[in-house]
Amino acid sequence: MPSRPHSIFPLVFASLAHGLLPRDACTALESGLRLENTTIISASHVSGPINVTSMGICEPNSQVLVSSAICRVEFVINTTSTSAVYAEAWLPDTWYGRYLTVGNSGLGGCQFLPYLRRSGSADLYPGIDHGNLDYGASLYFATIGSNNGHDGTVLDGRPFLNKPEVINDFAFRAIHAQTVIGKQIVEAYYGSSHQKTYFLGCSTGGRQGTQAALKYPEDFDGIVAGAVPADWNHLVGLGTMLARYVGAPYASASPSFISSALWDVVATEVLKQCDELDGVKDEIITEPDACNFRPEALLCNGDNTTACLSNVQVETLRKIYQPLYGIEGQLLFPRPDPGFEASPDSQSILNGTIYPIAGDWFRYTIFNDSSYDFSNFSLKDIALADSINPGGISTFDGDFSKFRDRGGKFLTYHGRRDWLIPSGNSKRLYNLISRTLEMPSLDSFYRLFLIPGMDHCHNGPGAGIFGQMTIASNVVNASTHNVLLAMVDWVEGGVPPDNVVGLSLDGQQRTHCRYPQTSVWSGEMWICQDAGA
């Protein structure tokens, strides 16, 4: 078990809360706890490390790991007469007064799918992953997570069809509901209320954390939100247009289609043109925004007729590596980061099919037509999504004033090789907040860290391991190397993170800079340099 994170709060043992042993205090919740619109399904004490059985349709009766001694509480919150949130609380025997909510992924109702599991296809996701519940509890947080208001996998939008209240749970309400009820469960179990509250999530979890700061600024003292899909409707619009550029939904008959083998050629050329812009040849593009990729270098000619592209395919790349603009020429979304095509998972959106997250969102929430085939999809359909904005899901609002004024702290990060959400959007959100609040720098409450070489939420050749998800990411149990612990230092000790130190899969270390600082190679190491220096 990891060492205790430093704390100004007193140590609390569940066995002292009611004069009961943890096992007895836990089981008493099932029969004795009554909460508004909530049913306690079960409450049982688990002495980890041990595997326990999961619930739900996603991966029924599978075994999930509990690493520490906890009280596991399963409960259902009826958010309306036609919607409900299934949730779990993992309450560690050793507790320091900290409460943690963990987020979800994709369109997911199945809990906590931070990692894309590959089984021959990037579109295959197994069921429930309790990794972040276990992670939070292992660090002595009372940790709560949910199915985000529906049972469904990361790529499945069918639960939304003609169910506006389920969409509301997904868009903004589930996290708030589980947090309100979760705090009451924590107080009932420990006999005292929490001292500080935190949120941890990436991708959809990043959007959930952002929505919490905007809509429910009192819910959390500190929010760690990675790869935030802010401006959701435009993001799924971009994903759909990228597929259309390469010929979807009938790519096999399209001259624009680029095969997986040719994408490998493209990835090699992108690195050839842009890898050394930062002064180091390491297959990492530190600042993709500085990469002016010229696809014409790959045109077929007399000397090269195989590992090359036609004029039509080059024009396709021109479309892909530029921002998405709307009907009236307005910016809808920043361009994909050059280098994203090197991620194996990029084929999920470049293989000539409509990526399911985008496709299912349009089918089941915008068009309400499960048979829609996208053959006529255009910018007009993105405008339609804007006008509907189901559940207020857009999440592109710069007014963080209430969260800031109550002392909230927000730490966000984004991989510069993210194949799903272009990292330039996190810069765009930062600048929107800066303009809205009329703050040249957001350092006092909001810090963005851009991670060169990291894919979506994790993975990639960069130093993308820094405590952002699951126990496996907590390689160095210290606030310098762990964003969740860095948030604790910021909230409880008033020490903001000036930088974040990450590790790569091969053990290389790199310091990541807070925006708008830039990462610069000194000749010996990576340093952070103020913008314009």
Side-chain angles (χ1 to χ4, degrees):
M1 184 176 293
S3 60
R4 171 189 174 188
H6 85 266
S7 175
I8 62 174
F9 302 124
L11 172 64
V12 175
F13 288 100
S15 58
L16 301 180
H18 307 282
L20 299 173
L21 293 173
R23 184 176 305 277
D24 296 331
C26 184
T27 55
L29 295 176
E30 183 173 345
S31 58
L33 186 57
R34 300 289 183 268
L35 299 172
E36 184 178 4
N37 298 320
T38 301
T39 300
I40 305 296
I41 299 172
S42 68
S44 58
H45 190 267
V46 181
S47 296
I50 192 173
N51 288 324
V52 297
T53 302
S54 66
M55 296 178 64
I57 67 168
C58 300
E59 199 172 43
N61 301 318
S62 66
Q63 297 296 296
V64 297
L65 177 65
V66 178
S67 298
S68 52
I70 64 166
C71 172
R72 182 191 184 196
V73 184
E74 297 172 279
F75 57 102
V76 174
I77 309 164
N78 294 311
T79 50
T80 70
S81 61
T82 59
S83 59
V85 175
Y86 166 80
E88 292 192 31
W90 286 25
L91 312 177
D93 284 6
T94 304
W95 185 54
Y96 298 112
R98 300 187 181 108
Y99 175 98
L100 176 68
T101 287
V102 293
N104 300 85
S105 299
L107 301 180
C110 295
Q111 296 177 51
F112 330 123
L113 291 163
Y115 291 102
L116 186 67
R117 272 70 167 286
R118 301 186 62 82
S119 181
S121 168
D123 293 343
L124 296 180
Y125 291 75
I128 295 176
D129 179 354
H130 291 76
N132 281 325
L133 273 175
D134 193 38
Y135 179 37
S138 76
L139 291 174
Y140 315 120
F141 291 81
T143 308
I144 285 76
S146 81
N147 72 345
N148 205 20
H150 66 281
D151 280 334
T153 62
V154 172
L155 303 179
D156 185 4
R158 290 172 296 179
F160 300 137
L161 183 62
N162 296 317
K163 295 180 179 178
E165 294 299 343
V166 173
I167 294 173
N168 285 338
D169 278 344
F170 174 78
F172 70 92
R173 189 170 54 204
I175 291 295
H176 176 64
Q178 75 191 57
T179 299
V180 170
I181 296 299
K183 289 176 180 178
Q184 295 176 62
I185 292 173
V186 166
E187 183 169 3
Y189 180 60
Y190 292 113
S192 61
S193 64
H194 62 273
Q195 299 293 321
K196 293 295 180 181
T197 57
Y198 299 91
F199 177 90
L200 177 69
C202 189
S203 194
T204 284
R207 183 187 59 76
Q208 291 168 321
T210 304
Q211 282 281 53
L214 290 167
K215 290 183 177 294
Y216 305 104
E218 71 284 353
D219 278 358
F220 302 108
D221 298 301
I223 295 173
V224 178
V228 176
D231 204 2
W232 170 269
N233 297 306
H234 291 166
L235 171 63
V236 294
L238 171 68
T240 307
M241 292 303 294
L242 291 176
R244 293 282 288 143
Y245 293 156
V246 294
Y250 308 116
S252 61
S254 173
S256 299
F257 179 68
I258 299 172
S259 68
S260 175
L262 282 178
W263 273 113
D264 289 341
V265 174
V266 174
T268 298
E269 182 63 27
V270 170
L271 284 177
K272 179 181 177 181
Q273 294 186 25
C274 297
D275 182 6
E276 295 185 75
L277 292 176
D278 57 15
V280 181
K281 187 175 183 179
D282 56 0
E283 298 189 355
I284 294 173
I285 302 173
T286 294
E287 179 48 85
D289 291 344
C291 175
N292 296 313
F293 173 52
R294 180 178 176 273
E296 286 80 5
L298 294 173
L299 277 168
C300 295
N301 57 38
D303 298 326
N304 183 6
T305 59
T306 54
C308 59
L309 302 179
S310 68
N311 273 307
V312 174
Q313 290 170 322
V314 166
E315 181 58 29
T316 295
L317 290 184
R318 279 283 176 199
K319 293 178 181 177
I320 288 172
Y321 290 100
Q322 66 177 1
L324 181 67
Y325 294 98
I327 297 171
E328 299 178 357
Q330 75 278 23
L331 176 67
L332 297 184
F333 215 83
R335 68 172 183 165
D337 295 309
F340 88 104
E341 70 292 321
S343 170
D345 294 322
S346 68
Q347 279 300 298
S348 301
I349 57 175
L350 299 174
N351 64 5
T353 62
I354 304 295
Y355 187 59
I357 289 178
D360 274 23
W361 184 255
F362 278 102
R363 283 192 184 99
Y364 298 113
T365 73
I366 304 301
F367 302 133
N368 292 318
D369 179 0
S370 60
S371 65
Y372 184 80
D373 73 353
F374 292 92
S375 58
N376 294 310
F377 186 90
S378 70
L379 293 175
K380 291 181 180 179
D381 298 301
I382 301 176
L384 175 63
D386 257 346
S387 67
I388 298 172
N389 193 24
I393 197 169
S394 175
T395 321
F396 196 60
D397 183 345
D399 189 3
F400 279 63
S401 58
K402 291 182 180 178
F403 181 75
R404 175 201 61 188
D405 293 347
R406 67 169 296 272
K409 307 301 181 186
F410 199 102
L411 187 158
T412 182
Y413 59 89
H414 207 141
R416 303 311 311 267
R417 208 179 80 152
D418 193 321
W419 56 271
L420 187 58
I421 306 172
S423 65
N425 198 51
S426 283
K427 291 184 179 181
R428 179 174 170 238
L429 177 60
Y430 183 101
N431 292 332
L432 173 66
I433 299 168
S434 180
R435 292 193 303 271
T436 303
L437 301 182
E438 298 182 342
M439 296 177 65
S441 171
L442 305 181
D443 274 358
S444 62
F445 82 100
Y446 187 106
R447 298 200 171 195
L448 163 63
F449 295 90
L450 298 169
I451 315 298
M454 187 175 80
D455 290 1
H456 184 57
C457 293
H458 75 131
N459 277 349
I465 303 171
F466 42 87
Q468 72 270 39
M469 54 175 66
T470 77
I471 291 175
S473 72
N474 189 29
V475 176
V476 180
N477 190 43
S479 57
T480 52
H481 292 68
N482 182 307
V483 287
L484 180 56
L485 300 184
M487 178 55 74
V488 171
D489 273 0
W490 196 3
V491 168
E492 299 175 18
V495 181
D498 283 334
N499 50 58
V500 170
V501 179
L503 297 174
S504 63
L505 292 172
D506 62 0
Q508 298 298 308
Q509 182 171 289
R510 180 167 179 173
T511 297
H512 301 305
C513 309
R514 70 184 189 278
Y515 182 76
Q517 288 183 336
T518 56
S519 183
V520 176
W521 179 249
S522 71
E524 297 181 351
M525 59 188 296
W526 293 101
I527 61 173
C528 296
Q529 183 172 283
D530 289 337

